[in-house]
Amino acid sequence: MKACIAQENVSKTTFEDSNLEKKAKNFLIDYIRYPQCKRLINRIFTAQKTNNFKSVAVISQFPEEGKTVFTAVLALGFHMFLDKRVLIMDTVSQTRDESFYYRGLLGHSLLELDQKKKQSCIDLITTRNVGSKIRFQHLQTPDKSTEVEIPDFNQDQDSDVTSDFKLCGFIESMKSNYDLILLDTCALSTANKYNFDPLILAQHADTSILVTTPRSLDRGLLKELTQELRRYNVSSLGMVVNPVVA
Amino acid sequence: METTAETINISKIFRIVWSNIYYIIIVTLLFALLGLFTAYIIPHKYKSKTTLNIQASYFQHPLVSDLLSDVSDPSELNAQRLALLRLALSTEFLDTLGQKYQLFSHAGSNTQHAIDRELFLKKIEYFSVSPTSFQISVVADTALKSYHMAQDILAQMTNTLIEQRYQSLMRARSAILKQTKLLNSTMSNSGALVQRANLDLQLNKMEGSLAALKSRLADTHPQVQALKSRTAALRAQVSHLPDQASETIDDYTRVFLNPSSRTSTQEIYDDLLKKLSYLNIVLEMEQDRESVSYLTVIEQPTLPFTPFFPNSKEFVLLGALFGMLLTLIRITYNELKRSNELTPHEAAEIFKLEFLGELPPLLEKNRILLLEILPKSVVALPLTLRET
């Protein structure tokens, strides 16, 4: 299965059709300019220089704690402010339109960016749920003329069981092409046989970042979580707090 | 390292309660009002009570106690009293009462009717309040109905009690009367046999004398004629008397015909006559059912002015208690939850996690905006992905 670039097909007029879309398209660019975001991006960037990591697993205890927003913020920040090449691997099963969230979020934002930044990019590997089968489908490569074949991570075409281990190998192979690889994982509480296991991905990634909300800042939950991370020998860069809704 | 659990002390509890005092008061008042409202809207039930005294003398039968066994054991007396009260609540009476007060909704179906009757029976309570007194109560949907029903039930119970005792005495009297008649007849038979034996003896003597006189005198002699006529009269008298006990008499009666039993039979007969006389007096007295001595209505049926269910005060109290309990549970839950909640800095310190930073608050309107726009934007994405 292969993928190719389709950026030339983007129609800018689509965004001008709706007031709603006008409001939305600059949201993320505005959002990452907040001091909290810039400090956060800077902290991770300096940590990367110190620890020399490339792949980061973004994990959380519960769904909807802000992993995707944080991943998008980090990717856009590294792209906008630091001219870095970023790969997002959305490993969450596409049981609903979650992948659209990434595409919409980053797509709108990128339209506003200075197109001169030729060296930097944000690529997205996503999954799509085809019937009961989950597989990676496409890759937008840094070199926009190159086509890269995405291996099928299903152990068996007829099986729903995904191979987390093959994906980890694939991430290793992609490290040379990117400055930062962000693994957006499913929540630990929702991990099942149809998902790529967040703990395995985090263990194979260079480091991990825990996204928390006030709900998951619970003594008991955090105790269990940190014990589990230590048991699986997961390297942790730290935690990011998402206050969720103001 | 995780800190140890916080110590709960009285002042802290007081502080927590004080900080939630308005919440507690409001919820408690709301539930109390809810209790009052519930007590107001749910159907009311009224209970009319009456108290009946059944004295021990009800079960005593002087002079005939050897015929009608008296009950003296208190528990047995109580059980008998309860059994008599239950006897009064017969199926027929319940049906009559049910129809009178239109209590049965299923007149057609036998099964449903039986269920209705059982449900009605459950509304009638009777239990002992003292060794001889019983409280009888009945529940109805109106005060007047319960009052009238209690009156009917009390009347039925007293009538049943009196009737049961009267019937018992009547049976005793009937049996004594029968036995008296039997003994009377037996004694009459026994007297006749003795008389015949005496007359037979006398007749034999007269016949001997007549034979002797005939040998000396002619038949036409006046003395012979006189003796002959006396002998004939005596023979005629003897012939009217039974020569032996009738074969139709049973063995039981035959025992009394024995001449040696005569004295005893007479004594028994006298005793039975005395008992019969007593029973006649007693029955005569008890025919006036208003003045029986062994039954007393201590408390006439009461007309209930307030419903016994629902009790408004109890409902208000229960509502208030329930409301208070709920608030306390809620406060306790919140406190426990709060005690487990950590600030990012606390969490970082306790679990040795680097606190990298905090995302700016994402306003709800922006969040909704993003979610709403997504399906429309698929065709316009720079990262549009196409299968080859």
Side-chain angles (χ1 to χ4, degrees):
Chain A
M1 197 166 293
K2 306 200 173 168
C4 66
I5 302 157
Q7 197 156 2
E8 64 272 19
N9 296 327
V10 172
S11 168
K12 289 187 179 181
T13 56
T14 311
F15 294 101
E16 293 163 6
D17 293 340
S18 154
N19 286 332
L20 193 68
E21 287 168 349
K22 279 180 188 173
K23 285 179 188 173
K25 66 182 180 184
N26 289 323
F27 161 71
L28 200 61
I29 292 171
D30 288 341
Y31 189 69
I32 65 166
R33 284 177 178 143
Y34 276 88
Q36 294 101 310
C37 276
K38 287 196 284 188
R39 286 175 203 155
L40 186 58
I41 292 161
N42 181 59
R43 185 143 189 196
I44 293 166
F45 175 63
T46 52
Q48 188 184 30
K49 281 204 289 189
T50 310
N51 301 331
N52 197 27
F53 59 82
K54 275 201 171 177
S55 57
V56 179
V58 182
I59 57 174
S60 75
Q61 181 71 32
F62 301 111
E64 298 180 3
E65 289 202 293
K67 291 187 299 295
T68 303
V69 169
F70 171 68
T71 307
V73 164
L74 205 56
L76 195 59
F78 268 63
H79 172 61
M80 267 184 66
F81 301 142
L82 303 165
D83 290 340
K84 298 292 181 187
R85 295 168 299 165
V86 183
L87 172 65
I88 298 171
M89 298 188 78
D90 186 4
T91 65
V92 180
S93 305
Q94 299 301 299
T95 53
R96 49 183 183 161
D97 289 344
E98 277 181 286
S99 63
F100 292 156
Y101 192 76
Y102 263 127
R103 295 179 200 173
L105 202 62
L106 289 170
H108 287 296
S109 304
L110 288 171
L111 284 174
E112 299 298 310
L113 291 179
D114 183 358
Q115 294 298 317
K116 291 176 183 175
K117 293 184 175 179
K118 299 293 182 188
Q119 295 303 312
S120 66
C121 69
I122 300 173
D123 284 340
L124 170 67
I125 295 176
T126 185
T127 63
R128 192 177 67 178
N129 197 0
V130 181
S132 59
K133 295 171 188 170
I134 301 165
R135 65 174 74 93
F136 279 96
Q137 289 185 310
H138 303 286
L139 170 68
Q140 182 188 19
T141 60
D143 180 350
K144 293 177 175 25
S145 61
T146 308
E147 289 183 349
V148 177
E149 189 171 351
I150 309 291
D152 190 343
F153 297 110
N154 286 342
Q155 288 173 333
D156 184 342
Q157 287 294 326
D158 297 326
S159 165
D160 293 334
V161 181
T162 52
S163 174
D164 312 61
F165 314 103
K166 286 183 184 175
L167 178 62
C168 295
F170 178 71
I171 294 164
E172 281 299 315
S173 70
M174 288 288 103
K175 277 185 180 174
S176 59
N177 295 330
Y178 295 96
D179 299 311
L180 182 65
I181 299 173
L182 296 169
L183 303 173
D184 188 5
T185 63
C186 71
L188 288 163
S189 64
T190 59
N192 57 43
K193 67 178 181 178
Y194 303 111
N195 298 127
F196 291 97
D197 187 72
L199 277 175
I200 294 175
L201 294 177
Q203 192 177 7
H204 286 275
D206 295 334
T207 190
S208 65
I209 294 174
L210 176 66
V211 179
T212 62
T213 56
R215 178 192 174 197
S216 57
L217 278 173
D218 178 88
R219 192 186 297 271
L221 289 173
L222 277 176
K223 186 182 176 184
E224 282 179 25
L225 179 61
T226 50
Q227 281 176 352
E228 199 157 47
L229 292 177
R230 287 190 186 109
R231 188 161 60 249
Y232 285 94
N233 199 23
V234 173
S235 167
S236 178
L237 189 62
M239 67 171 185
V240 173
V241 176
N242 179 13
V244 189
V245 177
Chain B
M1 188 62 72
E2 194 179 353
T3 57
T4 54
E6 289 179 43
T7 308
I8 302 288
N9 54 41
I10 298 293
S11 62
K12 188 176 178 185
I13 291 170
F14 182 76
R15 196 171 62 250
I16 291 166
V17 170
W18 185 251
S19 64
N20 290 285
I21 193 72
Y22 290 114
Y23 173 65
I24 294 170
I25 289 170
I26 289 167
V27 174
T28 304
L29 283 175
L30 278 176
F31 273 86
L33 284 173
L34 187 67
L36 187 64
F37 180 68
T38 308
Y40 181 73
I41 59 163
I42 61 173
H44 290 187
K45 292 186 186 303
Y46 295 84
K47 184 187 265 188
S48 179
K49 296 174 189 172
T50 178
T51 309
L52 181 65
N53 185 271
I54 309 169
Q55 292 166 19
S57 61
Y58 178 87
F59 300 98
Q60 291 166 357
H61 309 92
L63 284 183
V64 289
S65 60
D66 45 356
L67 299 176
L68 299 171
S69 59
D70 289 346
V71 182
S72 55
D73 180 55
S75 60
E76 195 181 342
L77 274 173
N78 200 41
Q80 288 219 2
R81 287 183 178 107
L82 281 171
L84 283 165
L85 294 178
R86 177 65 188 87
L87 185 70
L89 302 174
S90 62
T91 306
E92 292 76 23
F93 172 69
L94 293 175
D95 285 347
T96 309
L97 210 61
Q99 283 167 5
K100 184 179 175 183
Y101 294 102
Q102 298 175 340
L103 301 172
F104 301 150
S105 53
H106 304 90
S109 163
N110 284 337
T111 313
Q112 282 299 332
H113 187 70
I115 292 168
D116 283 347
R117 195 191 297 127
E118 278 301 308
L119 291 174
F120 174 45
L121 187 59
K122 282 181 182 174
K123 291 178 181 174
I124 303 170
E125 288 181 340
Y126 47 96
F127 52 89
S128 62
V129 289
S130 76
T132 58
S133 300
F134 287 82
Q135 188 182 84
I136 300 148
S137 61
V138 61
V139 176
D141 50 3
T142 65
L144 209 58
K145 195 187 275 188
S146 71
Y147 172 67
H148 289 310
M149 280 165 67
Q151 281 183 325
D152 288 347
I153 290 166
L154 179 65
Q156 169 73 5
M157 284 180 167
T158 50
N159 281 340
T160 305
L161 284 164
I162 293 168
E163 189 61 29
Q164 284 297 312
R165 181 177 159 88
Y166 192 77
Q167 290 298 328
S168 172
L169 292 174
M170 282 291 283
R171 280 195 299 275
R173 189 179 74 164
S174 175
I176 291 171
L177 188 62
K178 189 179 172 186
Q179 186 64 16
T180 311
K181 282 179 181 173
L182 178 70
L183 288 177
N184 188 19
S185 163
T186 305
M187 285 192 298
S188 299
N189 283 336
S190 177
L193 288 173
V194 170
Q195 192 182 1
R196 177 172 181 131
N198 291 333
L199 289 175
D200 277 344
L201 194 63
Q202 196 179 348
L203 186 63
N204 286 339
K205 282 180 183 176
M206 284 177 76
E207 282 175 345
S209 301
L210 185 63
L213 205 60
K214 274 183 178 178
S215 63
R216 287 188 288 116
L217 300 171
D219 283 350
T220 54
H221 192 278
Q223 283 185 350
V224 173
Q225 287 296 327
L227 189 58
K228 196 184 276 184
S229 64
R230 272 171 30 214
T231 305
L234 188 61
R235 189 175 291 116
Q237 193 179 351
V238 167
S239 66
H240 284 101
L241 291 171
D243 58 346
Q244 59 180 0
S246 173
E247 286 182 359
T248 56
I249 294 172
D250 58 18
D251 292 341
Y252 173 72
T253 311
R254 203 181 297 278
V255 174
F256 292 99
L257 292 176
N258 193 324
S260 61
S261 309
R262 186 177 172 79
T263 314
S264 304
T265 305
Q266 187 61 49
E267 283 175 6
I268 293 167
Y269 182 73
D270 294 343
D271 187 42
L272 286 177
L273 273 182
K274 197 162 66 176
K275 285 182 170 42
L276 194 61
S277 170
Y278 170 76
L279 277 174
N280 280 332
I281 295 165
V282 170
L283 286 168
E284 188 65 30
M285 285 169 65
E286 294 196 359
Q287 271 185 345
D288 181 11
R289 301 195 169 194
E290 298 298 319
S291 61
V292 289
S293 58
Y294 45 79
L295 280 183
T296 316
V297 179
I298 296 175
E299 182 190 11
Q300 288 292 340
T302 53
L303 180 62
F305 291 105
T306 53
F308 103 99
F309 179 86
N311 187 322
S312 303
K313 287 177 187 169
E314 284 178 8
F315 267 60
V316 168
L317 191 66
L318 278 175
L321 283 174
F322 185 70
M324 195 178 285
L325 187 68
L326 274 184
T327 55
L328 290 176
I329 289 170
R330 178 70 193 268
I331 289 166
T332 308
Y333 172 75
N334 285 346
E335 279 304 309
L336 287 173
K337 198 177 161 190
R338 197 187 60 77
S339 67
N340 277 330
E341 285 172 1
L342 300 170
T343 63
H345 294 285
E346 284 171 344
E349 189 183 339
I350 293 167
F351 298 105
K352 305 293 181 197
L353 287 168
E354 190 76 19
F355 178 37
L356 298 171
E358 194 171 291
L359 288 169
L362 184 63
L363 296 170
E364 182 66 15
K365 63 178 183 181
N366 288 333
R367 188 180 161 82
I368 293 167
L369 184 75
L370 287 170
L371 290 171
E372 282 182 354
I373 197 175
L374 293 176
K376 298 176 186 175
S377 62
V378 176
V379 294
L381 299 176
L383 294 174
T384 300
L385 305 169
R386 289 183 175 181
E387 286 190 21
T388 56

